[in-house]
Amino acid sequence: MNTSEIFALIQQAAEIANMAIEAGKSAKPIIDNMIALAKNGADNTVTPEQIAATRALLDQEMAKFNEELPPEETGT
Amino acid sequence: MMRRFLAIALVSLALAGCAGGIQKALNVVNAVTVGIDNPVTPERLHYAENVLTGVFIALNTYKQSCIRGLIPRSCRQVIQQMQIYTRKMPPALNAVRRFVDRGDKVNAIQSYNLLMEIVAAFKTVAAANNVPVGAI
């Protein structure tokens, strides 16, 4: 493995790390909700605002995943 | 080769971070049998929706890694196979939401169970393709 390959690998690793950080940021509200649910118990009432926020985030993430994949890049 | 291996290992680690915590949670959601004695309450649906949100955040990280060419090209087929089921989820979920919001317990149970069947089928495809969230 030469220097440029090592740099490319580091760049890939950084890219993946950034994606993981972004995923972590997106997941924060749901982690907070899960903690609240765990603390309060399953029978505790959730507010309409919490329900609406979760639904909006879920719908957004589902729509994103369900989008068609872009065409594969060629010649790389 | 080495580069590919490291990239895959890194993506797996990143996704494991997202998916690991929700793994058990979705198993719980999926294992719960709802019925007249155990109806779909707004709280239960809220819990299931939170878990599903975590799953889709992890899946989107996988999809982005695939689009950017950081993981093997076979990921495209895996995503397309999973989309067969994930595209059935929004209408099924909307039906559950509608019935739960109206307090229609009987229809809420039926639609929730249908949603869980789709989730179970999706889990099978993900597990068969070694997608890190596949073990959910």
Side-chain angles (χ1 to χ4, degrees):
Chain A
M1 192 179 269
N2 61 34
T3 313
S4 63
E5 282 175 330
I6 291 168
F7 276 120
L9 183 60
I10 292 169
Q11 201 176 351
Q12 272 188 326
E15 213 173 327
I16 292 166
N18 278 334
M19 280 194 293
I21 290 165
E22 288 306 313
K25 281 182 195 165
S26 308
K28 192 180 181 304
I30 65 147
I31 292 166
D32 290 344
N33 281 343
M34 299 296 265
I35 291 168
L37 284 169
K39 276 184 186 164
N40 300 329
D43 294 330
N44 201 58
T45 341
V46 287
T47 65
E49 291 75 22
Q50 285 174 310
I51 291 173
T54 300
R55 288 181 180 183
L57 183 59
L58 174 55
D59 289 347
Q60 177 192 306
E61 293 296 328
M62 268 196 305
K64 208 189 290 180
F65 184 74
N66 285 335
E67 278 171 14
E68 290 291 341
L69 281 164
E72 258 186 291
E73 282 179 26
T74 51
T76 51
Chain B
M1 184 68 177
M2 175 74 170
R3 189 174 152 172
R4 276 279 175 228
F5 174 77
L6 283 171
I8 292 163
L10 284 166
V11 170
S12 298
L13 276 174
L15 290 177
C18 301
I22 55 177
Q23 197 168 331
K24 287 175 191 167
L26 193 53
N27 272 339
V28 170
V29 170
N30 213 200
V32 170
T33 308
V34 294
I36 294 296
D37 296 333
N38 197 19
V40 191
T41 59
E43 290 74 25
R44 173 168 292 158
L45 178 60
H46 180 62
Y47 177 75
E49 287 186 306
N50 273 294
V51 172
L52 282 174
T53 306
V55 170
F56 276 98
I57 288 170
L59 284 174
N60 280 321
T61 308
Y62 178 80
K63 189 179 177 187
Q64 279 308 311
S65 309
C66 184
I67 291 169
R68 294 183 194 183
L70 299 169
I71 53 177
R73 290 169 68 185
S74 59
C75 62
R76 295 182 71 87
Q77 282 175 316
V78 175
I79 288 170
Q80 283 161 349
Q81 280 176 28
M82 289 194 291
Q83 282 177 335
I84 293 170
Y85 298 100
T86 57
R87 285 177 179 163
K88 290 179 181 171
M89 288 184 196
L93 182 61
N94 282 335
V96 185
R97 286 172 178 171
R98 205 168 43 244
F99 293 129
V100 169
D101 292 349
R102 283 184 199 161
D104 183 343
K105 288 183 184 174
V106 174
N107 283 312
I109 291 164
Q110 284 179 349
S111 51
Y112 185 86
N113 286 336
L114 176 67
L115 175 67
M116 288 304 125
E117 279 174 31
I118 299 168
V119 170
F122 156 77
K123 278 165 60 178
T124 306
V125 173
N129 289 288
N130 297 317
V131 176
V133 292
I136 47 184

